[in-house]
Amino acid sequence: SPALGSIARARLQAQINFVGTELHKSFSPLFKKDSTEDEKESARKKVALRLDDVEAVLSDGRSFVLGDDFSIADAYLFTVANWTKPTGLGLGERPNLIAYMARVSERPSVQAALQAEGLISKAA
């Protein structure tokens, strides 16, 4: 984790805050049983815009949200962006995000977490 007070730490906190307040929160109506169809449609549009933001961040060729190194911001983004599966939203036409999700999912720790959560089955 970057040192407290450093620019790198501020960038990390900014990315975590983006995922928490803009992306994570936008999915909420899609998981609530009492959401109206209008609320769900509004949520789908907002999620799409936030995923477009992520696509733009990744468009410079970086491997991870903050550059070449995997961070907690990537773990959080991967988890929330993966909600596009159960909500049926998918990743759309976002090649950088699609490549990013594939890259993160290949990490052994991510594979272990996905297996532990029952989101993927263990390879035979």
Side-chain angles (χ1 to χ4, degrees):
S1 195
L4 286 173
S6 68
I7 295 294
R9 181 64 169 245
R11 288 185 181 123
L12 174 66
Q13 290 171 321
Q15 290 300 327
I16 291 170
N17 287 335
F18 168 80
V19 175
T21 61
E22 296 296 327
L23 191 56
H24 186 154
K25 185 178 172 185
S26 297
F27 272 97
S28 295
L30 302 175
F31 289 111
K32 290 172 60 181
K33 292 186 188 301
D34 62 345
S35 294
T36 66
E37 193 50 45
D38 284 347
E39 289 169 329
K40 288 180 181 181
E41 185 55 29
S42 179
R44 288 181 196 103
K45 288 177 182 175
K46 189 164 185 183
V47 168
L49 290 172
R50 299 294 75 91
L51 292 176
D52 289 344
D53 292 338
V54 174
E55 177 70 11
V57 166
L58 297 171
S59 69
D60 64 3
R62 65 182 70 188
S63 294
F64 300 105
V65 173
L66 297 173
D68 294 332
D69 298 319
F70 183 84
S71 71
I72 188 70
D74 295 294
Y76 192 18
L77 174 58
F78 177 83
T79 298
V80 175
N82 214 33
W83 294 346
T84 58
K85 291 178 184 176
T87 59
L89 295 175
L91 296 174
E93 296 296 319
R94 297 181 183 92
N96 296 302
L97 180 56
I98 291 166
Y100 167 85
M101 294 296 285
R103 192 166 39 256
V104 173
S105 72
E106 292 168 0
R107 297 174 63 82
S109 58
V110 173
Q111 286 288 307
L114 291 171
Q115 288 173 8
E117 293 293 323
L119 298 172
I120 61 170
S121 55
K122 215 171 199 172

